[in-house]
Amino acid sequence: QPVNANLEDRVELLAYDTDLSPYAPGDTMTVGLYWLALHGPDQDYKAFVHLTDADLTSQPAQHDGDPGGGFSPTTRWLPGEIVPDAHHLVLPEHLSPGRYLLWAGMYEHDTVRNLAVLSANLPTAGGRVLLGEIEVEAQ
C-alpha cells in the first residue's frame, strides 16, 4: 500500500505491506516497510511499528529496530536507495478483542524523538503514520 510519508526531508516511507485480516491474541503480525533515502542520513535512526487501541490510550504491541533487520543502518543509505524493512509484532496473549490501529515511523535513538511527518497520503499523529486498522477476535 502506498504511503509516501516524508519524514523531515531525510527519509520517505514509500509503502507498506501486511495482512489486515483478523488476528487472534498471541498471533504474530508481519509488517513490511519500504524506505527511501532522500539524503544520506547523518545519524542512525530506528524504525518502528506500533499497535494502539482506537482511543490511543494504550499500545499493546510494538517493534522498534534498525531498518533492514540491523543490516542497513541509515548512515549507510545512499540518496535514492530503497530499503525493505520487516517488523514482527507479537500480539499479547491477553489482548482484548476489538479494533486496533497500526502505526509506523522513525525516530532518533539518542533523544527518542519521532521524526516529524511533513506530508503523507495517510493520516498522521505525533510523528507516526497510520497504516490501517486490524481486528483482533476472541480465540
Side-chain angles (χ1 to χ4, degrees):
Q1 298 293 323
V3 178
N4 299 315
N6 180 318
L7 305 176
E8 295 187 7
D9 285 330
R10 297 174 188 183
V11 298
E12 183 171 328
L13 178 54
L14 289 177
Y16 78 96
D17 60 45
T18 193
D19 182 359
L20 294 176
S21 62
Y23 289 87
D27 284 352
T28 298
M29 170 181 211
T30 299
V31 180
L33 304 177
Y34 299 89
W35 300 101
L36 170 66
L38 299 176
H39 303 286
D42 60 353
Q43 62 180 292
D44 287 325
Y45 299 109
K46 302 288 185 187
F48 65 82
V49 175
H50 294 163
L51 188 71
T52 68
D53 63 5
D55 297 328
L56 303 178
T57 57
S58 71
Q59 185 173 300
Q62 73 179 61
H63 184 270
D64 296 25
D66 294 319
F71 294 105
S72 187
T74 58
T75 52
R76 293 187 185 169
W77 293 5
L78 300 173
E81 182 178 3
I82 296 174
V83 178
D85 181 27
H87 294 262
H88 307 284
L89 274 73
V90 178
L91 304 183
E93 292 286 340
H94 64 277
L95 189 61
S96 298
R99 298 197 69 67
Y100 291 87
L101 305 177
L102 187 65
W103 303 86
M106 196 169 272
Y107 65 93
E108 294 176 340
H109 181 260
D110 293 341
T111 63
V112 194
R113 181 189 70 84
N114 289 355
L115 297 182
V117 181
L118 302 181
S119 63
N121 289 356
L122 300 173
T124 66
R128 302 186 292 187
V129 179
L130 179 62
L131 303 180
E133 289 188 1
I134 67 161
E135 181 76 28
V136 174
E137 298 178 339
Q139 289 185 333

